Each structure stands twice: as C-alpha cells, then as structure tokens.
Amino acid sequence: MLTILFDGIAYGMVLFMLACGLSVTLGLMNLVNLAHGAFAMAGGYCAVVLVNRLGVPFLAALPLAFLASALIGLAFERTLYRHVHRKSHLDQVLFTIGLVFMAVVAVDYVAGSSQVFVQLPDYLQGRFTLLGVGIGRYRLLIIVLCGVIAVALQLVLMRSRFGSRLRAAVDDARVAQGLGINVGGLFAATFAVGSGLAGLGGALGAEILGLDPSFPLKYMVYFLVVVTVGGTSSITGPFLASLILGISDVAGKYYLPDLGAFVIYTIMIAVLIWRPQGLFARAAAR
Amino acid sequence: MLRKSLLMALATAALAGLPAPGLAQETVKVGLILPMTGPFTSTGKQIAAAARLYMQEHGATVAGKKIELVLKDDTGNAELTKRLAQELVVSEKVRFLAGFGLTPLALAVAPLATEAKVPQIVMAAGTSIITERSPFVVRTSFTVPQSAVVIADWAVKSNVKKVVTLVSDYAPGHDAEKSFKERFTAAGGQIAAELRVPLQNPDFAPFLQRAADAKPDALYVFVPSGAGAIVMKQFLERGLDKSGIRLIGTGDLTDDDILPGFGDAALGIITAHLYATAHPSPKNKAYVAAFSKANPGMRPNFMSVGGYDGMHLIYEALKKTGGKTDGEALVAAMKGLAWESPRGPIAIDPQTRDIVQNIYIRKVERVNGELHNVEFATFEAVKDPVKAAKK
Amino acid sequence: MSPQAQADAAQLLAGRARWHPFEVLFWLAAAASTVLLPGHHLILTEIAWLALFALSLDLILGYAGIVSLGHAAFFGLGAYAAGLLAKHELVNEPLLALLLAGLAAALLGFVTSFLVLRGADLTRLMVTLGVALLLRELANKHAWLTGGADGLQGVTVEPLLGRFRFDMFGHTGYVYTLAVTFVLFLVARRIMNSSFGLSLQAMKENPARAEAVGMPVSRRLIAVYTLAAGYAGIAGALLTQTTAFTSLDVFSFERSADLLLVLIIGGAGYLYGGLIGAVVFKLLQDSLSTITPQYWPFWIGLLLVAIVLVGRERITAWTAPLRAFAGRLDRRRGAAATKA
C-alpha cells in the first residue's frame, strides 16, 4: 500500500517537472505550447549522450541537461515563439504541433527510432526496505530532487524580486508592462527555465517513462492534464495536480487494472466541467 | 483559380501515380509496406534495410526479371496499409505485397491479397491466425506462440513451478499469454496471475508490484520490443530478482537492436527466440557484417531476418516459376521451400504457409564488451503450435 | 426590423445562395474525375471523405469559432458504428447504415456540446481532446465488441442499394463517397446561407453583442456542433464502408491535428476550404511520403510552422481573390434578383 503511494509520488514528481514550465508559460503569456514535450525530449537525449557516450557522471549530467534544454528553449523563444505570442490559440496550436512533428522526425533522423536509456550508476539501482515500505533508490532520488526544486521554485516566486514581477505579469500583463516590467524579457527567462525543467524531467523520467522520438506526442496529454487540473496561476496548483495524477494513475493500475487510462481522462473532464479554470486556481477568472 | 488549382492537383496525381507501360513487362515490382514513421519505426527500418541488403547482395535480376522494390510508409495505421496495398496492386501492378509490421496491418490486407491473387509475404507480424486469413499469405517472420511454448517447456525443465504472466493487451500479447499458459499448465505448472498491460503504458511499476505480491518463481513477459527494456529495468529496481523471481520471456524482451543500451542490468535474462545477432554460424557472421556495414550503428535483429528471408523467398519462387508472376503459381512454388537463413535452417510449411524454424534458448551475456543474446539450447524445427494443435 | 433592413437581408441571403461559375466548375471537375481518373479512385476516395470531415470542422471552427482538438471522436464513432452494423448484419444497406452512423455521432455531438460550450478556447481544446481520448480508450477496452487494438476485423459491406458491389479498384467506393459528400455539401451550403448561418457568424465575431440583440447563442452553437458531429460521423462511416475495416486510429490525436491542418490550408469559413485543403493535403502527403517514406512528417510540420509564421490570412490569400470576386458577384446578382 505505502509502496504504491511511494511509486505514485515519484511518478507524480516526474510529471510535475515535465509540466510545470508549461503551466507557467501558459499562465503568463496565454501561450498554448503543445511542443513542451519536445524540450523534455531534448533534455533526455542530452543526458543519454553525456552519460553513455561521453562518460559524464549521471548526477553531473542532470544540470547539464537542464542547461541544454534551457538554452534550446531560449533560442526557440527568441527566434520563433515570440512571433506567435499575439496570435490566436488556434495559431499557437498549429504552430506547436508543427514543431512537435519536426522534432519527432529530427530526433529519429539523428538518434534513430528505438528506445534509448540513460545508464544509471550502481548506487542508484535497486531498492531497500524501510519500515515495510519498499523504496527504490532511484525513485527516492527523484522525489528528493523534485521536492527540493519545487520548494525552491515556490520560494523564488514568493520571495524574490523576479518572482513578484512574474506574479504581477501573470495577473495582468498589460498593467505590469505599464509599471515598467519588461514582460517580454521576463517571459523569455521563464520560458527558458520552464524548458530547462522539462529537460531535467526528461532526463530523470527516461528511466521510468522510456525515451524515444515519439516522446512529445505520447506524453503531451499527460502534461495537458496536469495543467488543466492544476490551473495556471501558481506552482502549487500543478504540483498538487501532478501528485494526484501520479498517485491515482499508479493506484488505479494496481487496484483497478481494467479501468486503464479511464481514470486520468475522467478526472480531467470532470475537473474541466466542475472548475474550468483548474482545481487549484483562484476563483477569479481572467 | 479553383479550377486551376484542382486541375493542377489532378495533373500532379496523374504524373505521380501512373506507371510507364513499356517497363511493366520485364520488371517485377515488390510492394513493401512498413511502418517507417510512428511508434513502430524500428521494425520498418530493420526490415527495409535487410530487404535492400538482400537485393544488393543477390543482384536485382532473377529469372530474367528485374526486381524493383516500392517502399511505402503506413505509419502503423491499418486503414492506410490497406489503401497503399490496393494502390500498389491497382496502379503499380506489384506482383508481391510484403512487409506488414503489425498484426492488424497484415489482417487488413489479407482479403485484398485473396481478391487480387497477389502473394502477401508477412515479414514481421506474429499472430498465429494471419496465415489463415488468406491462401495467399506466406510468412517469413515467426509466430509468437513458437517462442512462447519453447520458453514454457524450458521453464518446466528448469524447475519453475509458479509463474505470473505480464503481456501487452493486443492480439500478439494474448497469443503469447495463451500458448504459454496452455503449455505450462499442461506440464503441471501454476499461473499465479495473468496481467494485461495497455499497449501504451507509461509506468509498469503497479503491474510489477502485483507480480511481486504473487511471489512466483518466474515472471513471464511479452511486450513490444521498446517497452521490454522499461519492464526489465523496473523489474530490477523493485528488487524482484533479489526475491528469487526469474525474468523470462520471448526474445522481444531483449531485442538485439536496443540491447546494448540496457546496461549490465540485463545480464542473465533468459529468453526464447528465433534469431540472435550473435548466432554462431558463418552465414550469420557474414550477414551481420554486411548489415552493419550498410547501416552504421544498427544491429540486425529478429525483424531484419524476416525481411531478408522474405526477399529470398520471392527470389526463389520466381526462379521456380521461371519468372512467371501468376499469384497461385508463386504461392505453390513457395510451399515447402527450405533454406539456410542467417538464423539457421528454415522452411515454409506446405500445409499452413507458415514458417518452420529453430527456436533457441538464450541468455544475455557480454561478448567482446557488448551485450548479446547468447544461444545455449536449441529446439529444432518448431512449427506454429497453435495451428499444429488444431489438427 | 425596418422594411429596408429586411429587404437588405433578403438580398444578401439571396445573393449568397446563388451558384457562381467557380463552384459549378469545381463540382464538374470532381464529377469528371470519376470517369477520367479510374486508376486513382482509391486516393480520391480518401480525399472525398477527408473533404467531408474537414467540411464538418469548418462548420464549427470557421462558422462558429469553436477550436477542437478532438473532432476525431465523432469520426471514430461513425466509423465504428458503420463497421459494427455491417459486421453483425444489423443493417445491410450501406446508405441506411451511413445515416444511422451519422445520427449516432450527432447524438454524441449533442451530448458533448454542453461540455464544449463551457469555458474559453483553451478549455474547449482540452475537453474535445479528452472526449476523443476517452472514446478511444472505451473502444480499446471493449475488445469483445470493437476488436481492441487489433481493429475491427471481418467487416463485409453489402452491395450499395443491393446492386453495386464495393470493388477492389474503389470505383463504387469513390462514386458513392463523392455523391454523399456532394449532397451533404449542398445541405451545409443551404444552411450556412440561411439566416441561421449568418447568425452564427455574427456570434463568432462578437458573442456579447449577439447575445444582446437577442440571439439564442447557446442553442445555435449546440445545433451547429450537433450538425458538425453528424457530418464527421458520416465521414468516418464512409471510411469504414469503403475499406471494410476500422481500427483505433480513427480516434487518434494525429487525425484531429491533421484535420486542422487540412482546413487551414484551404482556409476556414467559406465551405470550400475543407474541400480544397483535403485535395492539397492528401496529394502533398502522398507525394512526400513516396519521396521520403521515413521523414515526411518533418515537412508537414515545417509547413504548419511556416503557415503560422507567415500568417494564415496570407497563406490562404491565394483563395482570397476568388472569395472577394464571389462576394462582389453575389451582391450584384442579389441586387438584380431583388429588383426583378
């Protein structure tokens, strides 16, 4: 029972890493970025190359994966995404789906179409039992790492100058702009960090979710569910949503394997009907 | 404007599709339909590479006919496979339909093969029933039950009494589950739980937890090749190996194509399958060398030999008919053909048009620094057990 | 309404209902293709049902402004309905089965329209996507009925009207699909050129104002969504009937995404966009995947990105002169018609 809970939390944490960037960019710029998973994939492949080919230690490869995805994200933001900020949602959907198609094929071309894996160091493999709960070492690492990052994100958002600007911009971009906040720059920075976190999630999640060129398509729905359920106005929303989703998905498969993916889709639609702005969003709709 | 664009579009279509009539006499076209994009790309790539390699090695001319390969991508989508097959038959006038990466894709085309009287060479899809759907289907790949019963036999011999099965929830998975279960329980074994995992499933953890709770001697796994690695890693992560559970399965689990990426975790896994890159025969050594040379960075896997032998079958059938391309005569010529393939001796069963081949028991080991499936026991000339049982 | 306004409205509607030469030519060319291109009926069949499917999306996106990422839900339901009716020999006449499949999809559209009406663009995207995924999972799980991941096997479609067998070369299939698409196009054209169609456009441009002048906004949206769902269902049923097969792919996200692309290429909101888009998209996809079987989605993706960056209006500008010309012609003829 507790083991299932533990696995669910780890799974939820990976989802949070993957999706939190998406929810912030959506909240800030009202940008529907279906290609978010492509940045996660970039981070994953980056980790694979670093660890397997170049022999970089796994733990050192994680920040590098973050940096690489963040840089790629920044480059795309400045060159391509900035042109679609002001376009309609339909345009953004078309644009980002196009990017997904291109990313899938490009990775297939460069890295081949089969599954790849990050080779884990020995000390992260296997598991131990603590008070009757089976704890996988790797999953423990994920929980600790993602937990720390989530807390750090929350602190940055709530305490720092950057955070208060960001919150102001999310609340009302136009007024924030008027107050002299550089919303465009803020957005680019957020986009880069969001992509970097996705990349880190991709690198961490490869072990659990697998990694192949169709990654952005396969998991797009999961990201969207997290964002839908969690809302786009804070970090805590997607965080709690990811945990709920992770735990209910894992527990659903354990206790009710016949229901399969029904659980998460039903949650998503139910939440959308009940609270279209997300479960944890403030009541004020924008 | 409208008219112009339409006419232009139609003209493009006409140019793109129409074959040159003069050439049709001497050229025999082989329509190769494979998933070259989408989740099953690796199957398509392996087979296409092997088929090209065969033609490169044996020349493009056989029995006075020039062989031309027409490769089409069906993205793993059955309705597209069917339309492509129809077009290949109707406009390209292909004399062979080949490829078919997945069971539904092969099944969708079978009625067409019957209607058009065109041999359908199945180079990958592994559900038993496919060859029964049309008298024009001939298979050069494998059937899932072939490997499943062999690993069941091996499990019985190796003192495995209680097994949990974990299969993907689609036809080949059901086949793998059923044949294993029948053979294993007939020999006195016990199936503690039967788990079916959705085909698109991100996390195996809850299923493995259920398996662990049942405390079996072994966990029998059949999943599509990419997912196999995730199962295996999570199997180790949960320490199932340490609690004395053995991981067994068909060779899809330790697909040679991706095995090098598994890491040492894979060492010692035992599977039954038709082909291993490390198969120790001179024929295979030459095959692997030529394949890797033509496709740097790729290892030929069990899918590739299906494509390679499929081309061989087409060549030999044409030789036997003297270049005649009548569908019934070609299928008749294919029945009973036997030859030495890179995977070992194989034959086409004259009754079922299905493949008869050796199934090897292999163990993952490190050979010259690379992970390989190393064969250590052979079950000779295994027929499809499902069809054999029907008689 | 003042008499003058009434006359104006009548004039506008009459003008829009007129056929102009381009439309006639378009359909003549389509009809001619049944005779002139016998070797290409298979891909033409696909173009025809895709055109109908895109037309159905145009009804909600182009006319009512509802963005959907899950239109495949209705397509898939129609496809499975037609397949099951034929497989279990419940309804042997394809035309009747087609109608029933369309009704089933329309019913689903009616029910889900209440979900779709809530919320803004983004919520709609998610809800439509969620409905399609849920249906896909339903079909996947009820393998005893649908065949699950292996697809619906053993569908035999009886001859059309008891006479015309669906042949291997796709002749019957093409003529049938084209005829159905044409008839449904006529219906859609009639509806969209009525006051109902005009009111939809008014609502799309400014929902608040439409509401204020007393238009029953939600009811009209429900009506058009239901209609579009029915159309999509019929398109799906056509797919099943012409290929005698259907599988989970009918519900896939890629299908909904491709459909958006089809409509965008042709341009939304004037009924012909979906049709033109279907022709261009299929031919493009077919030739690209012949040239590069492994990497063709890259170019489709690039096309999408390029369309958005350049601007959809400018991309579909190639149809704009036609639309503008048609509009001018309308007004003149409409004026002439009311005078006479």
Side-chain angles (χ1 to χ4, degrees), chain A residues 209-272:
Chain A
L209 306 175
L211 189 61
D212 64 71
S214 59
F215 185 89
L217 278 173
K218 260 199 256 176
Y219 292 102
M220 184 165 70
V221 178
Y222 283 77
F223 306 153
L224 290 177
V225 176
V226 168
V227 173
T228 319
V229 175
T232 55
S233 51
S234 66
I235 287 285
T236 30
F239 183 73
L240 292 176
S242 307
L243 284 185
I244 292 177
L245 198 69
I247 294 169
S248 58
D249 198 35
V250 169
K253 278 175 190 152
Y254 183 77
Y255 294 108
L256 305 162
D258 291 338
L259 281 183
F262 278 127
V263 182
I264 62 159
Y265 299 150
T266 317
I267 291 181
M268 169 165 126
I269 293 183
V271 167
L272 279 171

Side-chain angles (χ1 to χ4, degrees), chain A residues 71-113:
Chain A
L71 285 177
I72 296 172
L74 191 64
F76 270 85
E77 207 290 318
R78 288 287 90 180
T79 54
L80 290 175
Y81 277 92
R82 56 190 299 228
H83 299 292
V84 296
H85 287 171
R86 271 179 196 79
K87 300 214 174 191
S88 68
H89 277 152
L90 178 61
D91 276 319
Q92 294 171 354
V93 164
L94 291 168
F95 175 76
T96 51
I97 289 180
L99 284 186
V100 170
F101 284 173
M102 288 167 74
V104 167
V105 178
V107 169
D108 187 343
Y109 183 75
V110 175
S113 49

Side-chain angles (χ1 to χ4, degrees), chain A residues 7 108 117 127 139 254, chain B residues 45 210 213 229 237-238:
Chain A
D7 287 343
D108 187 343
F117 308 95
R127 69 173 183 177
R139 281 175 199 252
Y254 183 77
Chain B
K45 272 191 181 172
R210 275 171 68 94
D213 294 348
E237 189 209 327
R238 343 212 96 237

Side-chain angles (χ1 to χ4, degrees), chain B residues 37-363:
Chain B
T37 58
F40 302 97
T41 310
S42 115
T43 302
K45 272 191 181 172
Q46 286 273 348
I47 293 175
R52 289 206 186 99
L53 176 65
Y54 187 90
M55 291 189 61
Q56 191 189 321
E57 284 177 0
H58 295 80
T61 314
V62 61
K65 306 276 173 163
K66 192 173 178 309
I67 306 287
E68 189 190 325
L69 216 51
V70 186
L71 177 63
K72 295 276 178 183
D73 170 29
D74 64 10
T75 72
N77 174 338
E79 110 211 6
L80 191 55
T81 316
K82 178 142 186 184
R83 198 257 288 171
L84 290 171
Q86 272 179 323
E87 276 185 357
L88 285 170
V89 170
V90 172
S91 350
E92 296 268 345
K93 308 261 182 295
V94 297
R95 296 301 178 186
F96 298 90
L97 288 167
F100 312 104
L102 298 161
T103 299
L105 313 185
L107 291 178
V109 173
L112 177 76
T114 313
E115 191 176 351
K117 296 191 179 7
V118 171
Q120 180 186 358
I121 317 295
V122 176
M123 294 173 164
T127 315
S128 174
I129 47 168
I130 295 172
T131 51
E132 294 167 358
R133 288 300 169 87
S134 163
F136 288 88
V137 174
V138 183
R139 174 151 44 196
T140 60
S141 52
F142 56 92
T143 76
V144 172
Q146 279 181 329
S147 298
V149 298
V150 166
I151 194 75
D153 283 346
W154 180 85
V156 171
K157 268 193 226 157
S158 318
N159 236 353
V160 172
K161 300 261 182 328
K162 189 169 148 190
V163 168
V164 170
T165 62
L166 186 150
V167 301
S168 283
D169 196 359
Y170 70 138
H174 302 164
D175 259 18
E177 181 188 86
K178 189 161 163 275
S179 350
F180 181 86
K181 184 180 164 191
E182 278 173 8
R183 183 65 70 104
F184 189 63
T185 47
Q190 184 203 346
I191 304 284
E194 292 170 44
L195 307 175
R196 287 186 178 182
V197 191
L199 201 50
Q200 277 165 0
N201 182 64
D203 191 3
F204 285 96
F207 296 100
L208 289 171
Q209 191 59 41
R210 275 171 68 94
D213 294 348
K215 298 198 176 13
D217 298 327
L219 175 68
Y220 165 77
V221 177
F222 176 89
V223 289
S225 70
I230 306 177
V231 172
M232 192 208 63
K233 294 198 152 218
Q234 299 191 354
F235 177 86
L236 292 174
E237 189 209 327
R238 343 212 96 237
L240 266 64
D241 56 330
K242 300 223 173 54
S243 42
I245 303 173
R246 296 165 95 159
L247 184 60
I248 58 175
T250 62
D252 309 74
L253 189 60
T254 56
D255 183 348
D256 282 303
D257 192 19
I258 52 173
L259 188 59
F262 279 30
D264 282 346
L267 287 174
I269 294 181
I270 291 183
T271 53
H273 222 38
L274 55 121
Y275 173 76
T277 312
H279 179 65
S281 76
K283 175 118 189 163
N284 183 49
K285 291 221 168 78
Y287 172 69
V288 174
F291 188 98
S292 307
K293 195 176 156 215
N295 310 280
M298 253 166 100
R299 260 192 195 184
N301 70 355
F302 62 96
M303 289 296 183
S304 82
V305 287
Y308 193 79
D309 290 329
M311 288 311 288
H312 183 80
L313 185 70
I314 290 170
Y315 272 51
E316 291 305 306
L318 279 171
K319 276 186 204 159
K320 260 171 90 174
T321 61
K324 270 200 296 209
T325 55
D326 169 58
E328 275 156 3
L330 283 171
V331 172
M334 289 174 187
K335 286 179 183 173
L337 274 180
W339 70 95
E340 160 90 16
S341 146
R343 63 182 117 169
I346 61 173
I348 300 298
D349 187 330
Q351 270 87 46
T352 60
R353 288 162 280 106
D354 219 328
I355 190 162
V356 181
Q357 60 191 336
N358 292 351
I359 299 291
Y360 308 91
I361 306 282
R362 317 92 50 87
K363 188 177 186 177

Side-chain angles (χ1 to χ4, degrees), chain C residues 11-22:
Chain C
Q11 183 185 330
L12 181 66
L13 287 175
R16 286 166 68 106
R18 287 271 167 164
W19 283 80
H20 15 82
F22 289 111

